[in-house]
Amino acid sequence: MELLKDLWQFMRERKKFWLIPLILVLLLLGFLIVIGGSSALAPFVYTLF
């Protein structure tokens, strides 16, 4: 949680709010990779790509 707090403070102080969508997309892709490799939902995730 400390990392997220530091990241938010960095974006707020330096007006780097354009990083928020980039971080969200990377988190979503990481989540899909984790789910796609280790669950019964894998066939459904693979159809997205």
Side-chain angles (χ1 to χ4, degrees):
M1 291 305 288
E2 187 71 26
L3 176 69
L4 294 176
K5 187 173 136 183
D6 287 341
L7 184 61
W8 175 249
Q9 287 177 351
F10 170 79
M11 288 188 297
R12 194 177 64 196
E13 287 175 10
R14 290 177 174 75
K15 307 287 191 259
K16 302 281 186 186
F17 293 114
W18 56 269
L19 287 173
I20 293 173
L22 181 68
I23 292 170
L24 290 177
V25 167
L26 288 174
L27 288 174
L28 179 64
L29 285 175
F31 181 72
L32 285 175
I33 289 171
V34 168
I35 290 222
S38 65
S39 73
L41 295 175
F44 301 110
V45 173
Y46 290 135
T47 59
L48 295 175
F49 299 104

